[in-house]
Coordinates of all heavy atoms in Angstrom, one line a residue:
M1 N -127.0 41.9 -177.1 CA -128.0 42.6 -176.4 C -127.4 43.4 -175.3 O -126.5 42.9 -174.5 CB -129.1 41.7 -175.8 CG -130.2 42.4 -175.1 SD -131.4 41.2 -174.4 CE -130.5 40.5 -173.1
S2 N -127.8 44.6 -175.1 CA -127.2 45.5 -174.0 C -128.3 46.3 -173.3 O -129.4 46.5 -173.9 CB -126.2 46.4 -174.6 OG -126.7 47.3 -175.5
W3 N -128.0 46.7 -172.1 CA -128.9 47.5 -171.3 C -128.4 48.9 -171.4 O -127.2 49.2 -171.1 CB -129.0 47.0 -169.9 CG -129.7 45.7 -169.8 CD1 -129.1 44.5 -169.8 CD2 -131.1 45.5 -169.6 NE1 -130.1 43.5 -169.7 CE2 -131.3 44.1 -169.5 CE3 -132.2 46.3 -169.5 CZ2 -132.5 43.5 -169.4 CZ3 -133.4 45.7 -169.3 CH2 -133.6 44.4 -169.3
E4 N -129.3 49.9 -171.7 CA -128.9 51.3 -171.7 C -129.7 52.1 -170.6 O -130.9 51.8 -170.4 CB -129.4 51.9 -173.1 CG -129.0 53.3 -173.2 CD -129.3 53.9 -174.6 OE1 -129.5 53.0 -175.6 OE2 -129.5 55.1 -174.8
E5 N -128.9 52.9 -169.9 CA -129.6 53.7 -168.8 C -130.5 54.7 -169.5 O -130.1 55.5 -170.3 CB -128.5 54.4 -168.0 CG -129.0 55.2 -166.9 CD -128.0 55.9 -166.0 OE1 -126.9 55.3 -165.8 OE2 -128.2 57.0 -165.6
M6 N -131.8 54.7 -169.0 CA -132.8 55.6 -169.5 C -133.0 56.8 -168.6 O -133.2 57.9 -169.1 CB -134.1 54.9 -169.7 CG -134.0 53.7 -170.7 SD -133.3 54.1 -172.3 CE -134.5 55.0 -173.0
S7 N -133.0 56.6 -167.3 CA -133.2 57.7 -166.4 C -132.6 57.4 -165.0 O -132.4 56.2 -164.7 CB -134.6 58.0 -166.2 OG -135.3 57.0 -165.6
S8 N -132.3 58.4 -164.3 CA -131.8 58.2 -162.9 C -132.4 59.3 -162.0 O -132.3 60.5 -162.4 CB -130.3 58.3 -162.9 OG -129.8 58.0 -161.6
K9 N -133.0 58.9 -160.9 CA -133.7 59.9 -160.0 C -133.2 59.7 -158.6 O -132.9 58.6 -158.2 CB -135.2 59.7 -160.0 CG -135.8 59.9 -161.4 CD -137.3 59.6 -161.3 CE -137.9 59.7 -162.7 NZ -139.3 59.3 -162.6
K10 N -133.0 60.8 -157.8 CA -132.6 60.8 -156.4 C -133.8 61.0 -155.6 O -134.6 61.9 -155.9 CB -131.5 61.8 -156.2 CG -130.2 61.5 -156.8 CD -129.1 62.5 -156.5 CE -127.8 62.3 -157.1 NZ -126.8 63.3 -156.8
Y11 N -133.9 60.3 -154.5 CA -134.9 60.5 -153.5 C -134.3 60.5 -152.1 O -133.3 59.9 -151.9 CB -135.9 59.3 -153.5 CG -136.6 59.2 -154.8 CD1 -136.2 58.3 -155.8 CD2 -137.8 59.9 -155.1 CE1 -136.9 58.2 -157.0 CE2 -138.4 59.8 -156.3 CZ -138.0 58.9 -157.3 OH -138.7 58.8 -158.5
P12 N -135.0 61.2 -151.1 CA -134.5 61.2 -149.8 C -134.4 59.7 -149.2 O -135.3 58.9 -149.4 CB -135.5 62.0 -149.0 CG -136.2 62.8 -150.0 CD -136.2 62.0 -151.3
C13 N -133.4 59.5 -148.4 CA -133.3 58.1 -147.8 C -134.1 58.1 -146.5 O -134.8 59.1 -146.1 CB -131.9 57.7 -147.5 SG -131.1 58.8 -146.3
K14 N -134.1 57.0 -145.8 CA -134.9 56.7 -144.6 C -134.6 57.7 -143.5 O -135.4 58.2 -142.8 CB -134.7 55.3 -144.2 CG -135.5 54.8 -143.0 CD -136.8 54.2 -143.6 CE -137.5 53.5 -142.4 NZ -138.9 53.3 -142.8
C15 N -133.3 58.0 -143.3 CA -132.9 58.9 -142.2 C -133.0 60.3 -142.5 O -133.0 61.2 -141.7 CB -131.4 58.6 -141.7 SG -130.2 59.1 -142.9
G16 N -133.1 60.7 -143.8 CA -133.3 62.0 -144.2 C -132.0 62.8 -144.4 O -132.0 63.9 -144.8
K17 N -130.8 62.2 -144.1 CA -129.5 62.8 -144.2 C -128.9 62.7 -145.6 O -128.0 63.4 -145.9 CB -128.6 62.3 -143.1 CG -129.1 62.6 -141.7 CD -128.1 62.0 -140.7 CE -128.6 62.1 -139.3 NZ -127.8 61.3 -138.4
G18 N -129.3 61.6 -146.3 CA -128.7 61.3 -147.6 C -129.8 61.1 -148.6 O -130.9 61.6 -148.6
F19 N -129.5 60.2 -149.6 CA -130.5 59.8 -150.6 C -130.2 58.5 -151.2 O -129.2 57.8 -150.9 CB -130.4 60.9 -151.8 CG -129.0 60.9 -152.5 CD1 -128.8 60.1 -153.6 CD2 -128.0 61.6 -152.0 CE1 -127.6 60.1 -154.3 CE2 -126.7 61.6 -152.7 CZ -126.6 60.9 -153.8
F20 N -131.2 58.0 -151.9 CA -131.0 56.7 -152.7 C -131.4 57.0 -154.1 O -132.1 58.0 -154.4 CB -131.9 55.6 -152.1 CG -133.3 55.6 -152.3 CD1 -133.9 55.0 -153.4 CD2 -134.2 56.3 -151.5 CE1 -135.3 55.0 -153.6 CE2 -135.5 56.4 -151.7 CZ -136.1 55.7 -152.8
T21 N -130.8 56.2 -155.0 CA -130.9 56.5 -156.5 C -131.8 55.3 -157.1 O -131.5 54.2 -156.8 CB -129.6 56.5 -157.1 OG1 -128.8 57.5 -156.5 CG2 -129.7 56.9 -158.6
E22 N -132.7 55.7 -157.9 CA -133.5 54.7 -158.7 C -133.1 55.0 -160.2 O -133.3 56.0 -160.7 CB -135.0 55.0 -158.6 CG -135.8 54.2 -159.4 CD -137.3 54.5 -159.3 OE1 -137.7 55.4 -160.0 OE2 -138.0 53.9 -158.5
T23 N -132.4 53.9 -160.7 CA -132.0 54.0 -162.1 C -132.8 53.0 -163.0 O -132.9 51.9 -162.6 CB -130.4 53.7 -162.2 OG1 -129.8 54.5 -161.3 CG2 -129.9 53.9 -163.6
T24 N -133.2 53.5 -164.1 CA -134.0 52.7 -165.0 C -133.2 52.4 -166.3 O -132.6 53.3 -166.9 CB -135.4 53.4 -165.4 OG1 -136.1 53.8 -164.3 CG2 -136.2 52.5 -166.3
Y25 N -133.3 51.1 -166.7 CA -132.5 50.6 -167.8 C -133.5 50.0 -168.8 O -134.5 49.4 -168.4 CB -131.5 49.6 -167.5 CG -130.4 50.1 -166.5 CD1 -130.6 50.0 -165.2 CD2 -129.2 50.7 -167.0 CE1 -129.6 50.4 -164.3 CE2 -128.3 51.1 -166.2 CZ -128.4 51.0 -164.8 OH -127.5 51.4 -163.9
M26 N -133.2 50.1 -170.1 CA -134.0 49.4 -171.2 C -133.1 48.7 -172.1 O -132.0 49.2 -172.4 CB -134.8 50.4 -172.0 CG -135.7 49.8 -173.0 SD -136.7 51.0 -174.0 CE -137.8 51.5 -172.8
D27 N -133.5 47.5 -172.5 CA -132.6 46.7 -173.5 C -133.1 46.9 -174.9 O -134.1 47.6 -175.2 CB -132.6 45.2 -173.1 CG -133.8 44.4 -173.2 OD1 -134.8 45.0 -173.7 OD2 -133.8 43.3 -172.9
D28 N -132.5 46.1 -175.8 CA -132.9 46.2 -177.2 C -134.3 45.8 -177.6 O -134.8 46.0 -178.6 CB -131.9 45.4 -178.1 CG -130.4 45.9 -177.9 OD1 -130.3 47.1 -177.6 OD2 -129.5 45.1 -178.1
W29 N -134.9 45.0 -176.7 CA -136.2 44.5 -176.9 C -137.3 45.2 -176.1 O -138.4 44.8 -175.8 CB -136.3 43.0 -176.5 CG -135.4 42.1 -177.4 CD1 -135.1 42.4 -178.7 CD2 -134.9 40.9 -177.0 NE1 -134.3 41.3 -179.1 CE2 -134.1 40.4 -178.1 CE3 -134.9 40.1 -175.9 CZ2 -133.4 39.2 -178.1 CZ3 -134.2 38.9 -175.9 CH2 -133.5 38.5 -177.0
N30 N -136.9 46.4 -175.6 CA -137.8 47.3 -174.9 C -138.2 46.8 -173.5 O -139.3 47.2 -173.0 CB -139.0 47.8 -175.7 CG -138.5 48.6 -176.9 OD1 -137.6 49.3 -176.8 ND2 -139.3 48.5 -178.0
R31 N -137.4 45.9 -173.0 CA -137.7 45.4 -171.6 C -137.1 46.4 -170.7 O -136.0 47.0 -170.9 CB -137.1 44.0 -171.3 CG -137.8 42.9 -172.2 CD -137.2 41.6 -171.9 NE -135.8 41.6 -172.3 CZ -134.9 40.6 -172.2 NH1 -135.4 39.5 -171.6 NH2 -133.7 40.7 -172.5
I32 N -137.7 46.6 -169.5 CA -137.3 47.6 -168.6 C -136.9 47.0 -167.2 O -137.6 46.1 -166.8 CB -138.4 48.7 -168.3 CG1 -138.6 49.5 -169.6 CG2 -138.0 49.7 -167.2 CD1 -139.7 50.5 -169.6
T33 N -135.8 47.4 -166.6 CA -135.5 47.0 -165.3 C -135.0 48.2 -164.5 O -134.6 49.2 -165.0 CB -134.4 45.9 -165.3 OG1 -134.2 45.4 -164.0 CG2 -133.1 46.5 -165.8
E34 N -135.2 48.1 -163.1 CA -134.8 49.2 -162.3 C -133.8 48.7 -161.3 O -133.8 47.6 -160.8 CB -136.0 49.8 -161.5 CG -137.0 50.5 -162.4 CD -138.2 51.0 -161.6 OE1 -138.4 50.6 -160.4 OE2 -138.9 51.9 -162.1
E35 N -132.9 49.6 -160.9 CA -131.9 49.3 -159.9 C -132.0 50.4 -158.8 O -132.1 51.6 -159.1 CB -130.5 49.4 -160.5 CG -129.4 49.2 -159.6 CD -128.0 49.3 -160.3 OE1 -127.7 48.3 -161.0 OE2 -127.4 50.3 -160.3
H36 N -132.0 50.0 -157.5 CA -132.1 51.0 -156.4 C -130.8 50.9 -155.6 O -130.4 49.8 -155.2 CB -133.3 50.6 -155.5 CG -134.6 50.8 -156.3 ND1 -135.1 49.8 -157.1 CD2 -135.4 51.9 -156.4 CE1 -136.2 50.2 -157.6 NE2 -136.4 51.4 -157.2
T37 N -130.1 52.0 -155.4 CA -128.9 52.1 -154.7 C -129.0 53.0 -153.5 O -129.4 54.2 -153.8 CB -127.7 52.6 -155.7 OG1 -127.7 51.7 -156.8 CG2 -126.4 52.5 -155.0
I38 N -128.6 52.6 -152.4 CA -128.6 53.5 -151.2 C -127.3 54.2 -151.2 O -126.2 53.6 -151.1 CB -128.8 52.7 -149.9 CG1 -130.1 51.9 -149.9 CG2 -128.7 53.6 -148.7 CD1 -130.4 51.0 -148.7
N39 N -127.3 55.6 -151.2 CA -126.1 56.4 -151.3 C -125.8 57.0 -149.9 O -125.0 58.0 -149.9 CB -126.2 57.4 -152.4 CG -126.5 56.8 -153.7 OD1 -127.7 56.8 -154.2 ND2 -125.5 56.2 -154.4
C40 N -126.4 56.6 -148.9 CA -126.2 57.1 -147.6 C -125.5 56.1 -146.7 O -126.0 54.9 -146.6 CB -127.5 57.5 -147.0 SG -127.5 57.9 -145.2
E41 N -124.4 56.4 -146.1 CA -123.6 55.4 -145.3 C -124.4 54.9 -144.2 O -124.4 53.6 -143.9 CB -122.3 56.0 -144.8 CG -121.2 56.1 -145.8 CD -119.9 56.7 -145.2 OE1 -119.6 56.2 -144.1 OE2 -119.2 57.4 -145.9
E42 N -125.1 55.8 -143.5 CA -125.9 55.3 -142.3 C -127.0 54.4 -142.7 O -127.2 53.3 -142.1 CB -126.5 56.6 -141.6 CG -127.2 56.3 -140.3 CD -127.7 57.6 -139.7 OE1 -127.0 58.6 -139.7 OE2 -128.8 57.6 -139.1
C43 N -127.8 54.7 -143.7 CA -128.9 53.8 -144.1 C -128.4 52.6 -144.8 O -129.0 51.5 -144.7 CB -129.8 54.6 -145.1 SG -130.9 55.8 -144.3
N44 N -127.2 52.6 -145.5 CA -126.7 51.5 -146.2 C -126.3 50.4 -145.2 O -126.3 49.2 -145.4 CB -125.5 51.9 -147.1 CG -125.1 50.8 -148.1 OD1 -126.0 50.0 -148.5 ND2 -123.9 50.7 -148.4
E45 N -125.8 50.8 -144.0 CA -125.4 49.9 -142.9 C -126.7 49.2 -142.3 O -126.6 48.1 -141.8 CB -124.6 50.6 -141.8 CG -123.2 51.0 -142.3 CD -122.5 51.8 -141.2 OE1 -122.9 51.8 -140.0 OE2 -121.4 52.3 -141.5
K46 N -127.8 49.9 -142.3 CA -129.0 49.5 -141.5 C -130.0 48.8 -142.4 O -130.8 48.0 -141.9 CB -129.7 50.6 -140.8 CG -128.9 51.3 -139.7 CD -129.7 52.4 -139.1 CE -129.0 53.1 -138.0 NZ -129.7 54.2 -137.4
Y47 N -130.1 49.2 -143.7 CA -131.3 48.7 -144.5 C -130.9 48.2 -145.9 O -129.8 48.4 -146.4 CB -132.2 50.0 -144.8 CG -132.7 50.6 -143.6 CD1 -132.2 51.8 -143.2 CD2 -133.8 50.1 -142.9 CE1 -132.7 52.5 -142.0 CE2 -134.3 50.7 -141.8 CZ -133.7 51.9 -141.3 OH -134.2 52.5 -140.2
N48 N -131.8 47.4 -146.4 CA -131.8 46.9 -147.8 C -133.0 47.5 -148.4 O -134.1 47.6 -147.8 CB -131.8 45.4 -147.9 CG -130.5 44.8 -147.5 OD1 -129.5 45.3 -147.9 ND2 -130.6 43.7 -146.8
I49 N -133.0 47.8 -149.7 CA -134.2 48.2 -150.4 C -134.7 47.0 -151.2 O -134.0 46.4 -151.9 CB -133.9 49.4 -151.4 CG1 -133.6 50.6 -150.6 CG2 -135.1 49.6 -152.3 CD1 -133.2 51.8 -151.5
T50 N -136.0 46.7 -151.1 CA -136.7 45.7 -151.8 C -137.8 46.3 -152.6 O -138.5 47.2 -152.1 CB -137.2 44.6 -150.9 OG1 -136.1 44.1 -150.1 CG2 -137.8 43.4 -151.6
V51 N -138.0 45.9 -153.8 CA -139.1 46.4 -154.6 C -140.2 45.3 -154.7 O -139.9 44.2 -155.0 CB -138.7 46.8 -156.0 CG1 -139.8 47.2 -156.8 CG2 -137.6 47.8 -155.9
K52 N -141.4 45.6 -154.2 CA -142.5 44.7 -154.2 C -143.5 45.1 -155.4 O -143.8 46.3 -155.6 CB -143.3 44.8 -152.9 CG -142.5 44.6 -151.7 CD -142.2 43.1 -151.5 CE -141.4 43.0 -150.2 NZ -141.1 41.7 -149.8
N53 N -143.9 44.1 -156.1 CA -144.9 44.4 -157.2 C -146.3 44.0 -156.8 O -146.5 43.0 -156.1 CB -144.5 43.5 -158.4 CG -143.3 43.9 -159.1 OD1 -143.0 45.1 -159.3 ND2 -142.4 43.0 -159.4
A54 N -147.2 44.9 -157.1 CA -148.6 44.6 -156.8 C -149.1 43.5 -157.7 O -148.9 43.5 -158.9 CB -149.5 45.9 -157.1
E55 N -149.8 42.5 -157.1 CA -150.2 41.3 -157.9 C -151.7 41.3 -158.2 O -152.2 40.5 -159.0 CB -149.8 40.1 -157.2 CG -148.3 39.9 -157.0 CD -148.0 38.7 -156.2 OE1 -148.9 37.9 -155.8 OE2 -146.8 38.5 -155.9
H56 N -152.4 42.2 -157.6 CA -153.9 42.2 -157.8 C -154.4 43.5 -158.4 O -153.8 44.6 -158.2 CB -154.6 42.0 -156.5 CG -154.1 40.8 -155.8 ND1 -154.5 39.5 -156.2 CD2 -153.3 40.6 -154.7 CE1 -153.9 38.6 -155.4 NE2 -153.2 39.2 -154.5
K57 N -155.4 43.4 -159.2 CA -156.1 44.6 -159.8 C -156.7 45.5 -158.7 O -157.0 44.9 -157.6 CB -157.2 44.2 -160.8 CG -156.6 43.5 -162.0 CD -157.8 43.1 -162.9 CE -157.2 42.4 -164.1 NZ -158.3 42.1 -165.1
P58 N -156.8 46.8 -158.8 CA -156.5 47.6 -159.9 C -155.0 48.1 -160.0 O -154.6 48.8 -160.9 CB -157.4 48.8 -159.7 CG -157.5 49.0 -158.3 CD -157.4 47.5 -157.7
K59 N -154.2 47.7 -159.0 CA -152.8 48.1 -158.9 C -151.8 47.2 -159.6 O -150.6 47.4 -159.4 CB -152.4 48.4 -157.4 CG -153.3 49.3 -156.7 CD -152.9 50.7 -157.2 CE -153.7 51.7 -156.3 NZ -153.5 53.1 -156.7
H60 N -152.3 46.2 -160.4 CA -151.4 45.2 -161.0 C -150.3 46.0 -161.8 O -150.6 46.8 -162.6 CB -152.2 44.3 -161.9 CG -151.3 43.2 -162.5 ND1 -150.9 42.2 -161.8 CD2 -150.8 43.1 -163.8 CE1 -150.1 41.4 -162.6 NE2 -150.1 41.9 -163.8
G61 N -149.1 45.6 -161.5 CA -147.9 46.2 -162.2 C -147.3 47.4 -161.5 O -146.2 47.8 -161.8
D62 N -148.0 47.9 -160.5 CA -147.4 49.0 -159.7 C -146.3 48.4 -158.8 O -146.4 47.3 -158.4 CB -148.5 49.7 -158.8 CG -149.4 50.5 -159.7 OD1 -149.1 50.7 -160.9 OD2 -150.4 51.0 -159.1
T63 N -145.3 49.2 -158.5 CA -144.3 48.8 -157.6 C -144.2 49.6 -156.3 O -144.7 50.8 -156.3 CB -142.9 48.9 -158.3 OG1 -142.7 50.2 -158.7 CG2 -142.8 47.9 -159.5
K64 N -143.7 49.1 -155.3 CA -143.6 49.8 -154.0 C -142.2 49.5 -153.4 O -141.8 48.3 -153.4 CB -144.7 49.3 -153.0 CG -144.6 49.9 -151.6 CD -145.7 49.3 -150.7 CE -145.6 49.9 -149.4 NZ -146.6 49.3 -148.5
I65 N -141.5 50.6 -153.0 CA -140.2 50.4 -152.4 C -140.3 50.2 -151.0 O -141.0 50.9 -150.3 CB -139.3 51.7 -152.8 CG1 -139.1 51.8 -154.3 CG2 -138.0 51.6 -152.1 CD1 -138.5 53.1 -154.7
V66 N -139.7 49.1 -150.5 CA -139.8 48.7 -149.1 C -138.4 48.7 -148.5 O -137.5 48.2 -149.1 CB -140.4 47.3 -148.9 CG1 -140.4 46.9 -147.5 CG2 -141.8 47.3 -149.5
W67 N -138.2 49.4 -147.3 CA -137.0 49.5 -146.6 C -137.0 48.3 -145.6 O -137.8 48.4 -144.7 CB -136.8 50.8 -145.9 CG -136.6 52.0 -146.8 CD1 -137.5 52.6 -147.6 CD2 -135.3 52.6 -147.2 NE1 -137.0 53.6 -148.4 CE2 -135.6 53.6 -148.1 CE3 -134.0 52.4 -146.7 CZ2 -134.6 54.4 -148.6 CZ3 -133.0 53.2 -147.2 CH2 -133.3 54.2 -148.1
E68 N -136.1 47.4 -145.7 CA -136.0 46.2 -144.8 C -134.7 46.4 -144.0 O -133.7 46.5 -144.5 CB -136.1 44.9 -145.6 CG -137.4 44.7 -146.3 CD -137.4 43.4 -147.1 OE1 -136.3 42.9 -147.4 OE2 -138.5 43.0 -147.4
E69 N -134.9 46.2 -142.6 CA -133.7 46.3 -141.8 C -132.8 45.1 -142.0 O -133.3 43.9 -142.1 CB -134.2 46.3 -140.3 CG -134.7 47.7 -139.9 CD -134.8 47.9 -138.4 OE1 -133.9 47.5 -137.7 OE2 -135.9 48.4 -138.0
K70 N -131.5 45.3 -142.0 CA -130.6 44.2 -142.1 C -130.5 43.5 -140.8 O -130.6 44.1 -139.7 CB -129.2 44.7 -142.5 CG -129.1 45.3 -143.9 CD -127.7 45.7 -144.2 CE -127.6 46.3 -145.6 NZ -126.2 46.7 -145.9
I71 N -130.3 42.2 -140.8 CA -130.3 41.4 -139.6 C -128.8 41.2 -139.2 O -128.0 41.0 -140.0 CB -131.0 40.0 -139.8 CG1 -132.4 40.3 -140.1 CG2 -130.8 39.2 -138.5 CD1 -133.2 39.1 -140.5

């Protein structure tokens, strides 16, 4: 079983000077996973990206990207 890259999108980062990348992968059983990479040195030093999933209807299954400050 292997994961194949299906898409990759760039979005502005928190400081606005760089970007972060959202990459979507799919395996042989059509399962999907996403990877978020901060490509900005300034934001990479300050933040982690966490993905939160909505657990209640009507937004069940929706995801939200949260920038969390590193301690």
Side-chain angles (χ1 to χ4, degrees):
M1 179 181 72
S2 62
W3 291 90
E4 182 178 339
E5 183 178 322
M6 302 306 291
S7 67
S8 185
K9 299 176 188 174
K10 291 182 181 180
Y11 297 97
C13 64
K14 187 89 168 165
C15 74
K17 297 176 188 173
F19 63 93
F20 73 95
T21 307
E22 176 183 84
T23 308
T24 304
Y25 299 92
M26 183 182 287
D27 71 2
D28 298 336
W29 296 333
N30 295 328
R31 294 181 297 179
I32 295 173
T33 188
E34 291 179 344
E35 178 181 280
H36 297 84
T37 307
I38 300 173
N39 305 101
C40 171
E41 284 185 37
E42 187 175 322
C43 287
N44 196 30
E45 289 178 13
K46 294 181 182 179
Y47 302 102
N48 288 318
I49 292 179
T50 303
V51 178
K52 307 281 185 179
N53 292 316
E55 297 177 5
H56 304 288
K57 293 182 180 180
K59 300 285 186 182
H60 182 74
D62 287 352
T63 58
K64 179 180 178 182
I65 296 171
V66 178
W67 291 78
E68 296 179 337
E69 286 193 45
K70 292 182 179 179
I71 300 173

